[in-house]
mmCIF file with all atom_site columns, all heavy atoms in Angstrom:
data_model
loop_
_atom_site.group_PDB
_atom_site.id
_atom_site.type_symbol
_atom_site.label_atom_id
_atom_site.label_alt_id
_atom_site.label_comp_id
_atom_site.label_asym_id
_atom_site.label_entity_id
_atom_site.label_seq_id
_atom_site.pdbx_PDB_ins_code
_atom_site.Cartn_x
_atom_site.Cartn_y
_atom_site.Cartn_z
_atom_site.occupancy
_atom_site.B_iso_or_equiv
_atom_site.pdbx_formal_charge
_atom_site.auth_seq_id
_atom_site.auth_comp_id
_atom_site.auth_asym_id
_atom_site.auth_atom_id
_atom_site.pdbx_PDB_model_num
ATOM 1  N N   . SER T 1 219 ? 14.900 -15.343 17.605 1.00 0.00 ? 219 SER T N   1
ATOM 2  C CA  . SER T 1 219 ? 15.081 -16.367 16.652 1.00 0.00 ? 219 SER T CA  1
ATOM 3  C C   . SER T 1 219 ? 16.703 -16.605 16.433 1.00 0.00 ? 219 SER T C   1
ATOM 4  O O   . SER T 1 219 ? 17.192 -17.764 16.250 1.00 0.00 ? 219 SER T O   1
ATOM 5  C CB  . SER T 1 219 ? 14.549 -16.084 15.240 1.00 0.00 ? 219 SER T CB  1
ATOM 6  O OG  . SER T 1 219 ? 15.284 -14.975 14.680 1.00 0.00 ? 219 SER T OG  1
ATOM 7  N N   . TRP T 1 220 ? 17.485 -15.532 16.630 1.00 0.00 ? 220 TRP T N   1
ATOM 8  C CA  . TRP T 1 220 ? 18.903 -15.658 16.506 1.00 0.00 ? 220 TRP T CA  1
ATOM 9  C C   . TRP T 1 220 ? 19.496 -16.577 17.625 1.00 0.00 ? 220 TRP T C   1
ATOM 10 O O   . TRP T 1 220 ? 20.342 -17.398 17.315 1.00 0.00 ? 220 TRP T O   1
ATOM 11 C CB  . TRP T 1 220 ? 19.591 -14.257 16.695 1.00 0.00 ? 220 TRP T CB  1
ATOM 12 C CG  . TRP T 1 220 ? 19.494 -13.655 18.033 1.00 0.00 ? 220 TRP T CG  1
ATOM 13 C CD1 . TRP T 1 220 ? 18.350 -12.849 18.454 1.00 0.00 ? 220 TRP T CD1 1
ATOM 14 C CD2 . TRP T 1 220 ? 20.253 -13.648 19.125 1.00 0.00 ? 220 TRP T CD2 1
ATOM 15 N NE1 . TRP T 1 220 ? 18.598 -12.482 19.744 1.00 0.00 ? 220 TRP T NE1 1
ATOM 16 C CE2 . TRP T 1 220 ? 19.703 -12.907 20.258 1.00 0.00 ? 220 TRP T CE2 1
ATOM 17 C CE3 . TRP T 1 220 ? 21.489 -14.327 19.313 1.00 0.00 ? 220 TRP T CE3 1
ATOM 18 C CZ2 . TRP T 1 220 ? 20.313 -12.782 21.428 1.00 0.00 ? 220 TRP T CZ2 1
ATOM 19 C CZ3 . TRP T 1 220 ? 22.157 -14.115 20.529 1.00 0.00 ? 220 TRP T CZ3 1
ATOM 20 C CH2 . TRP T 1 220 ? 21.509 -13.320 21.621 1.00 0.00 ? 220 TRP T CH2 1
ATOM 21 N N   . ALA T 1 221 ? 18.936 -16.591 18.733 1.00 0.00 ? 221 ALA T N   1
ATOM 22 C CA  . ALA T 1 221 ? 19.461 -17.459 19.912 1.00 0.00 ? 221 ALA T CA  1
ATOM 23 C C   . ALA T 1 221 ? 18.806 -18.790 19.770 1.00 0.00 ? 221 ALA T C   1
ATOM 24 O O   . ALA T 1 221 ? 19.465 -19.811 20.040 1.00 0.00 ? 221 ALA T O   1
ATOM 25 C CB  . ALA T 1 221 ? 19.005 -16.877 21.174 1.00 0.00 ? 221 ALA T CB  1
ATOM 26 N N   . MET T 1 222 ? 17.564 -18.875 19.485 1.00 0.00 ? 222 MET T N   1
ATOM 27 C CA  . MET T 1 222 ? 16.769 -20.207 19.421 1.00 0.00 ? 222 MET T CA  1
ATOM 28 C C   . MET T 1 222 ? 17.320 -21.043 18.201 1.00 0.00 ? 222 MET T C   1
ATOM 29 O O   . MET T 1 222 ? 17.613 -22.270 18.516 1.00 0.00 ? 222 MET T O   1
ATOM 30 C CB  . MET T 1 222 ? 15.316 -19.918 19.375 1.00 0.00 ? 222 MET T CB  1
ATOM 31 C CG  . MET T 1 222 ? 14.421 -21.113 19.626 1.00 0.00 ? 222 MET T CG  1
ATOM 32 S SD  . MET T 1 222 ? 12.835 -20.644 20.259 1.00 0.00 ? 222 MET T SD  1
ATOM 33 C CE  . MET T 1 222 ? 13.139 -20.191 21.929 1.00 0.00 ? 222 MET T CE  1
ATOM 34 N N   . SER T 1 223 ? 17.559 -20.508 17.140 1.00 0.00 ? 223 SER T N   1
ATOM 35 C CA  . SER T 1 223 ? 17.998 -21.329 15.963 1.00 0.00 ? 223 SER T CA  1
ATOM 36 C C   . SER T 1 223 ? 19.489 -21.801 16.182 1.00 0.00 ? 223 SER T C   1
ATOM 37 O O   . SER T 1 223 ? 19.863 -22.902 15.735 1.00 0.00 ? 223 SER T O   1
ATOM 38 C CB  . SER T 1 223 ? 17.890 -20.556 14.692 1.00 0.00 ? 223 SER T CB  1
ATOM 39 O OG  . SER T 1 223 ? 18.740 -19.317 14.721 1.00 0.00 ? 223 SER T OG  1
ATOM 40 N N   . THR T 1 224 ? 20.305 -20.889 16.796 1.00 0.00 ? 224 THR T N   1
ATOM 41 C CA  . THR T 1 224 ? 21.676 -21.198 17.220 1.00 0.00 ? 224 THR T CA  1
ATOM 42 C C   . THR T 1 224 ? 21.687 -22.471 18.078 1.00 0.00 ? 224 THR T C   1
ATOM 43 O O   . THR T 1 224 ? 22.402 -23.431 17.888 1.00 0.00 ? 224 THR T O   1
ATOM 44 C CB  . THR T 1 224 ? 22.496 -20.058 17.743 1.00 0.00 ? 224 THR T CB  1
ATOM 45 O OG1 . THR T 1 224 ? 22.433 -18.961 16.775 1.00 0.00 ? 224 THR T OG1 1
ATOM 46 C CG2 . THR T 1 224 ? 23.896 -20.448 18.057 1.00 0.00 ? 224 THR T CG2 1
ATOM 47 N N   . SER T 1 225 ? 20.946 -22.328 19.132 1.00 0.00 ? 225 SER T N   1
ATOM 48 C CA  . SER T 1 225 ? 20.991 -23.373 20.250 1.00 0.00 ? 225 SER T CA  1
ATOM 49 C C   . SER T 1 225 ? 20.392 -24.658 19.678 1.00 0.00 ? 225 SER T C   1
ATOM 50 O O   . SER T 1 225 ? 20.961 -25.785 19.913 1.00 0.00 ? 225 SER T O   1
ATOM 51 C CB  . SER T 1 225 ? 20.352 -22.894 21.536 1.00 0.00 ? 225 SER T CB  1
ATOM 52 O OG  . SER T 1 225 ? 18.976 -22.598 21.276 1.00 0.00 ? 225 SER T OG  1
ATOM 53 N N   . ALA T 1 226 ? 19.472 -24.661 18.944 1.00 0.00 ? 226 ALA T N   1
ATOM 54 C CA  . ALA T 1 226 ? 18.670 -25.800 18.442 1.00 0.00 ? 226 ALA T CA  1
ATOM 55 C C   . ALA T 1 226 ? 19.571 -26.465 17.358 1.00 0.00 ? 226 ALA T C   1
ATOM 56 O O   . ALA T 1 226 ? 19.675 -27.725 17.301 1.00 0.00 ? 226 ALA T O   1
ATOM 57 C CB  . ALA T 1 226 ? 17.395 -25.438 17.790 1.00 0.00 ? 226 ALA T CB  1
ATOM 58 N N   . THR T 1 227 ? 20.175 -25.747 16.496 1.00 0.00 ? 227 THR T N   1
ATOM 59 C CA  . THR T 1 227 ? 21.107 -26.287 15.469 1.00 0.00 ? 227 THR T CA  1
ATOM 60 C C   . THR T 1 227 ? 22.324 -27.030 16.144 1.00 0.00 ? 227 THR T C   1
ATOM 61 O O   . THR T 1 227 ? 22.648 -28.160 15.714 1.00 0.00 ? 227 THR T O   1
ATOM 62 C CB  . THR T 1 227 ? 21.600 -25.211 14.583 1.00 0.00 ? 227 THR T CB  1
ATOM 63 O OG1 . THR T 1 227 ? 20.463 -24.449 13.884 1.00 0.00 ? 227 THR T OG1 1
ATOM 64 C CG2 . THR T 1 227 ? 22.517 -25.807 13.413 1.00 0.00 ? 227 THR T CG2 1
ATOM 65 N N   . ALA T 1 228 ? 22.795 -26.361 17.102 1.00 0.00 ? 228 ALA T N   1
ATOM 66 C CA  . ALA T 1 228 ? 23.973 -27.069 17.839 1.00 0.00 ? 228 ALA T CA  1
ATOM 67 C C   . ALA T 1 228 ? 23.484 -28.221 18.551 1.00 0.00 ? 228 ALA T C   1
ATOM 68 O O   . ALA T 1 228 ? 24.227 -29.289 18.575 1.00 0.00 ? 228 ALA T O   1
ATOM 69 C CB  . ALA T 1 228 ? 24.605 -26.026 18.824 1.00 0.00 ? 228 ALA T CB  1
#
Side-chain angles (χ1 to χ4, degrees):
S219 69
W220 65 274
M222 196 155 278
S223 62
T224 300
S225 61
T227 301

